[in-house]
Amino acid sequence: MNEQDSKIERALRELTDPSSGELSRLQDRLVADARASGSLDVVYRLVDSPVGRLLVAATSKGIVRVAFEIEGFDSVLSDVAAKVGPAVLRSSTELEVAAQQIDAYFDGSRHAFDLPLDDRLSAGFRQLVQRHLPQIAYGSTQTYKQVAELVGNPGAVRAVGTACATNPLPIVVPCHRVLRTDGTIGGYLGGPDAKRTLLDLERQAA
Amino acid sequence: MNTHTPFEAAVQAHGATVLRVCRAVLGPHADADDAWSETFLSAMPAWPKLPESTNVEAWLVRIAHRKAIDVTRRRARQAVPVEHLPETPAAAGSQGRSQSDARSAERHELWSAVGDLPEKQRKAIAYRYLGSLPYDDIAELLGGTAAAARRSAADGLQSLRRHPAFRDHDGA
C-alpha cells in the first residue's frame, strides 16, 4: 500500500471514528435490547466509593455480586460469566437504585440495604451464614464464634470465617461486621483496610 | 473464546471497529447504529459456542455485513429515500463561517465521496481497511474471488484518491 493509500485509510478511520459518548449510548441501547430479548445473563456497573471502585453485578433476579477493585474486576467478571452465563454487559445507567443506596451508605445516611438479591453464587453452610449476616445491626459486630452459635453450629467457627471471607455480596450483606474472637479484624475480600473503613464509618454514623 | 469470557470483552475490544464498518457501509446515521446493535445482539447468544481459535473481530465484521444488508432491505421496504447524508451547514461556502462549520462541511464532502462509491467497492474498502478482514473472507461476503475483492478495494481507493475531498484532506 502506498503512502497516498495509507493517508486515505487514515482519513476513513478518522471520518468513521465514534466518540466515546456515541459508543456508550449504543452500549446502553444494547443492554436494553438484550434485556428485552431475554438474552442478558448479567448487567454490571462500576460505582465509586471511599474503599475504591466497586463492581455491582445483577441478574434479572437481583444483585448477584459486589466486588472490590483489588479482587481484579476481569477475574470477577470471568467467574460470574462462568457461573451465571457469558451474556454479561456493562451499563452506565442501569442499577441506579443500587448505586444510590451504596452512595447513601457511604455518606452515613443509609444503614440497611433494600435491594433484591440473587444468592446463587453461594450455597450450603456459607449461604446459611450469609443469610444470617443482615441480622447484625448497623454499627455493631459479632465474632465468628457467636455467628457459629447463632446459626446452630457452634463448632463451625472456621467455616463461618470462610463464609464471611467468600461472601459474594460484601457491603450489601455485612460480613464486615464479623470479627475474630480476639477482636482482631479477620479476613475480607476488600482487604483489611476496607473492612476497617466500613467499621469506622458505621461507628461514626450509628 | 470460552464460556468464561464475558461478552462485554468483545463489545469493548471491537465495538468501535464494528461501528466504523457499519458507518462506512451505511453512512453515519441511525442505520449504522441499528446495524451495530443488531450485530452485537445476535452475536451474544452465539458467543459461548465460538471455537477458541475464532478471530472475533472478523466474525463480528461478517455479522455486521449481514445486518447492514438487513437494515438496507428494511429501509427499502419502508420506501424512505435511501440517500440521506449528514446535514450540510446552511451557509457552506459563504465567508465568515466558523471553523466547526468548515470542519463539518469537509466531513460532509468526505462522506459524499464515500457514498458515491459503487456498493461493492465501498464494502470492500470498509471490510478490508476498517474491519481488517482478509480478502478471502471479503470475497465470500461479496461474491467472486479474493482477487476480485482486492481489485474492488483498489478501485475504490483510487476513486477516493482522485476525489477532491480526499485529495485535499490532510489527515490531521
Side-chain angles (χ1 to χ4, degrees):
Chain A
M1 168 177 277
N2 64 37
E3 201 190 319
Q4 263 261 294
D5 287 350
S6 60
K7 197 175 128 186
I8 289 174
E9 192 188 335
R10 267 203 313 279
L12 274 174
R13 227 167 245 285
E14 200 188 296
L15 187 64
T16 52
D17 212 16
S19 69
S20 67
E22 286 166 335
L23 276 178
S24 73
R25 189 174 41 77
L26 281 172
Q27 169 94 21
D28 288 338
R29 174 179 162 186
L30 178 63
V31 171
D33 288 350
R35 183 191 302 290
S37 74
S39 55
L40 191 61
D41 294 317
V42 173
V43 63
Y44 71 93
R45 173 171 176 160
L46 301 183
V47 180
D48 285 323
S49 88
V51 292
R53 279 196 309 171
L54 301 171
L55 180 149
V56 182
T59 64
S60 58
K61 196 177 158 221
I63 311 291
V64 73
R65 184 74 160 89
V66 176
F68 296 93
E69 197 152 20
I70 64 162
E71 295 179 66
F73 289 154
D74 283 348
S75 81
V76 168
L77 288 170
S78 293
D79 185 59
V80 168
K83 289 174 179 157
V84 180
V88 177
L89 288 174
R90 178 175 172 177
S91 170
S92 53
T93 53
E94 305 246 339
L95 297 170
E96 187 58 29
V97 175
Q100 279 171 6
Q101 290 195 12
I102 288 170
D103 279 350
Y105 170 80
F106 280 107
D107 72 25
S109 62
R110 171 171 283 276
H111 293 187
F113 288 92
D114 182 17
L115 296 167
L117 302 180
D118 182 342
D119 60 6
R120 78 173 81 182
L121 293 183
S122 71
F125 184 69
R126 290 183 187 184
Q127 195 179 69
L128 181 76
V129 171
Q130 287 157 11
R131 282 183 177 162
H132 164 79
L133 297 175
Q135 291 169 32
I136 310 174
Y138 183 91
S140 67
T141 59
Q142 287 180 354
T143 63
Y144 293 121
K145 188 160 175 284
Q146 285 171 320
V147 173
E149 284 159 6
L150 285 166
V151 299
N153 199 342
V157 178
R158 283 184 68 92
V160 167
T162 308
C164 290
T166 59
N167 171 21
L169 297 164
I171 300 176
V172 172
V173 170
C175 58
H176 58 276
R177 293 179 196 150
V178 190
L179 306 175
R180 291 207 184 108
T181 310
D182 65 6
T184 58
I185 197 131
Y188 194 56
L189 271 185
D193 287 345
K195 189 166 180 176
R196 224 168 272 124
T197 302
L198 299 183
L199 291 170
D200 288 347
L201 164 82
E202 295 192 3
R203 210 170 295 128
Q204 281 160 22
Chain B
M1 242 12 64
N2 62 58
T3 52
H4 299 206
T5 310
F7 187 65
E8 177 67 23
V11 183
Q12 288 295 326
H14 308 298
T17 294
V18 171
L19 188 57
R20 278 194 200 102
V21 168
C22 292
R23 284 176 167 179
V25 172
L26 295 166
H29 311 291
D31 283 359
D33 291 355
D34 289 351
W36 186 94
S37 296
E38 288 171 31
T39 296
F40 282 101
L41 199 58
S42 76
M44 198 157 69
W47 171 250
K49 287 165 267 171
L50 272 193
E52 196 86 36
S53 60
T54 305
N55 174 342
V56 175
E57 186 165 274
W59 174 64
L60 289 168
V61 169
R62 288 196 300 270
I63 299 175
H65 163 77
R66 293 199 301 272
K67 295 302 170 185
I69 291 174
D70 291 351
V71 169
T72 307
R73 281 191 188 138
R74 210 157 56 217
R75 202 61 79 219
R77 272 202 304 276
Q78 289 165 356
V80 174
V82 180
E83 284 309 318
H84 42 159
L85 292 159
E87 312 85 59
T88 321
S94 73
Q95 71 273 68
R97 68 185 180 183
S98 74
Q99 231 173 348
S100 81
D101 278 351
R103 171 116 189 84
S104 106
E106 186 196 323
R107 288 178 69 83
H108 180 78
E109 285 299 305
L110 293 170
W111 272 117
S112 25
V114 174
D116 285 346
L117 291 175
E119 185 185 324
K120 208 169 222 177
Q121 292 180 13
R122 195 171 67 244
K123 287 182 173 175
I125 288 177
Y127 302 152
R128 180 69 203 118
Y129 295 116
L130 300 173
S132 307
L133 215 56
Y135 283 116
D136 284 333
D137 291 26
I138 299 174
E140 228 173 273
L141 298 183
L142 300 182
T145 62
R150 183 188 293 272
R151 217 154 38 236
S152 291
D155 290 349
L157 276 191
Q158 196 176 24
S159 303
L160 291 181
R161 206 182 300 137
R162 278 199 298 256
H163 199 286
F166 275 87
R167 208 175 47 218
D168 303 337
H169 181 75
D170 56 10

